[in-house]
Amino acid sequence: MLHTVNKSPFERNALDACLTRAAKGSAILLYEDAVYAATKGTNVASRVSQATQAFKVFVLGPDLRARGFDEAQVLDGITVIGYDEFVDLTVEHGTVNAWL
Amino acid sequence: MQFGILVNEGPYNHQASDSAYQFVKAALGKGHKIFRVFFYYDGVNNANKLTEPPSDDRNITKRWSELGKAHGLDLVVCVAAALRRGIKDEVLADGFRISGLGQLIEAGVHSDRLIVFGD
Amino acid sequence: MSTDENSSGVVKKFMYVNRKAPYGTIYALEVLEMVLISAAFDQDVHLAFVDDGVYQIKKGQDTKGVEMKNFSPTYRALDGYDIEKLYVEKESLDERGIAASDLMVPVEIIDRAAMTALIDSMDVVLSG
């Protein structure tokens, strides 16, 4: 299963809702305002880093760059992808669950 | 692979419609098929042809119409959600059609993947 | 629309994940409209209530004072549409101080681990 999260972890609980209910080994894509969860130095960084052990975590590059961040500011263990790879993820991981 | 797309939010207020558009474009570019794009909740506002954004910004409604035309996309607006929000045939942009919620369920049944974009 | 028209033989496991409270936004009401329509398609429909979604089925909703439509009776009508797979996450209830007896419909209360497994087994997941 591919889980998508599109909300900042500082405003909404979507990331937490996803991390606590995604089956181990699932893929998680952070996009739109959820890209902030993928950046270094936040107070959720350790939680997100830990999540990369249990899940395959991705962040959408175009959303990241739109918000003034680049690849260098992304936590280790998170893969930066584009829309093409977003499509590939949905193909590879079966059902998609959007945590809105 | 065949995709169903659900857009839950209106244009501009949320990025949902933009993300859905980019996803659809990428999927088509990779040779996938789009079974249907369904607009629900405030997403029905994406079909309003009276939309007139400033000229230096993207025109979300027009962009959907054009992509729809270029690729023969089935752009469906939920009738119940649309009536609630004043979206009727009179204001419907090119390429969109108004139909029942069953069209969404059908997209879920017949697509290989249903991708939801919302808030 | 008749069931025959809609059944192409494909039966998928559909899940509606309800994570939002009623009235403050329209999502709960319009999800319910999706749920009712899906009954006509002979699909294997599941409803999950997690996080604030559990507030949707809190007993005793009275909307007279806010002059909004009280759509909560619809949850009680779901079994008439053969939609009987309603799951509530125990942790979500506990976090909000809500007891099973506060809920207006019969549901299966499962813990977060079981909810995780249930969600993971679905073919189509819809959220609003």
Side-chain angles (χ1 to χ4, degrees):
Chain A
M1 187 170 273
L2 170 67
H3 299 266
T4 65
V5 179
N6 67 336
K7 289 292 163 291
S8 163
F10 307 109
E11 193 209 356
R12 299 256 282 261
N13 73 347
L15 177 67
D16 206 49
C18 169
L19 294 180
T20 54
R21 300 188 192 90
K24 209 171 175 220
S26 299
I28 297 175
L29 171 64
L30 307 171
Y31 77 115
E32 297 181 0
D33 287 350
V35 299
Y36 297 121
T39 60
K40 289 174 182 165
T42 73
N43 67 3
V44 297
S46 66
R47 176 148 169 69
V48 176
S49 287
Q50 215 175 6
T52 64
Q53 307 298 311
F55 310 108
K56 295 180 272 279
V57 184
F58 302 86
V59 64
L60 197 67
D63 278 331
L64 198 64
R65 288 186 281 276
R67 289 161 176 79
F69 289 87
D70 63 29
E71 208 147 334
Q73 290 154 292
V74 169
L75 292 166
D76 292 341
I78 299 181
T79 310
V80 181
I81 62 167
Y83 288 105
D84 279 357
E85 292 81 15
F86 181 0
V87 173
D88 294 342
L89 281 182
T90 66
V91 172
E92 288 160 24
H93 293 277
T95 307
V96 183
N97 183 1
W99 291 93
L100 301 178
Chain B
M1 189 162 270
Q2 187 127 252
F3 287 95
I5 306 291
L6 174 60
V7 180
N8 285 353
E9 297 296 335
Y12 306 106
N13 223 48
H14 294 278
Q15 200 184 341
S17 183
D18 291 280
S19 294
Y21 176 82
Q22 298 299 341
F23 182 92
V24 168
K25 242 180 22 169
L28 290 168
K30 294 181 79 78
H32 296 297
K33 297 229 174 356
I34 304 295
F35 180 82
R36 180 169 294 145
V37 183
F38 194 85
F39 297 86
Y40 195 46
Y41 305 97
D42 275 358
V44 299
N45 291 311
N46 285 288
N48 189 342
K49 71 175 176 194
L50 301 180
T51 304
E52 227 175 292
S55 58
D56 61 348
D57 199 357
R58 74 243 187 260
N59 186 324
I60 293 179
T61 298
K62 200 162 159 242
R63 211 165 59 168
W64 276 119
S65 288
E66 286 168 0
L67 191 69
K69 198 174 175 190
H71 296 274
L73 298 181
D74 191 17
L75 307 174
V76 180
V77 177
C78 170
V79 62
L83 288 178
R84 237 180 216 127
R85 294 162 176 91
I87 301 296
K88 300 183 175 192
D89 283 327
E90 298 94 285
V91 300
L92 206 63
D94 280 351
F96 289 87
R97 64 186 181 96
I98 296 178
S99 189
L101 200 39
Q103 300 271 304
L104 168 64
I105 308 304
E106 193 190 46
V109 174
H110 295 294
S111 302
D112 300 301
R113 302 283 184 272
L114 184 71
I115 322 287
V116 183
F117 295 90
D119 182 41
Chain C
M1 84 187 71
S2 83
T3 303
D4 292 343
E5 269 172 59
N6 298 320
S7 59
S8 53
V10 182
V11 179
K12 286 189 176 178
K13 291 169 109 171
F14 271 69
M15 176 176 269
Y16 296 89
V17 178
N18 294 291
R19 234 166 56 75
K20 289 177 178 161
Y23 308 116
T25 57
I26 198 170
Y27 299 104
L29 186 158
E30 289 193 310
V31 164
L32 214 36
E33 293 184 353
M34 284 198 271
V35 170
L36 292 176
I37 297 287
S38 61
F41 281 77
D42 286 340
Q43 300 298 305
D44 186 11
V45 177
H46 303 69
L47 270 71
F49 297 90
V50 299
D51 294 335
D52 281 354
V54 302
Y55 288 127
Q56 292 180 20
I57 49 173
K58 164 80 178 61
K59 262 184 197 164
Q61 296 175 28
D62 176 359
T63 58
K64 279 192 216 76
V66 292
E67 297 187 3
M68 293 170 84
K69 178 178 166 179
N70 181 353
F71 58 92
S72 66
T74 311
Y75 295 103
R76 285 197 294 268
L78 289 176
D79 67 339
Y81 291 84
D82 288 329
I83 294 170
E84 291 158 339
K85 296 178 178 173
L86 278 61
Y87 302 88
V88 175
E89 188 190 74
K90 185 179 184 302
E91 286 83 346
S92 297
L93 289 176
D94 292 347
E95 283 162 10
R96 287 160 183 77
I98 295 179
S101 57
D102 294 325
L103 304 177
M104 67 175 80
V105 278
V107 295
E108 193 175 329
I109 297 178
I110 61 177
D111 67 13
R112 191 161 284 173
M115 184 61 82
T116 297
L118 185 67
I119 291 172
D120 201 54
S121 70
M122 293 293 137
D123 298 314
V124 180
V125 180
L126 282 151
S127 39

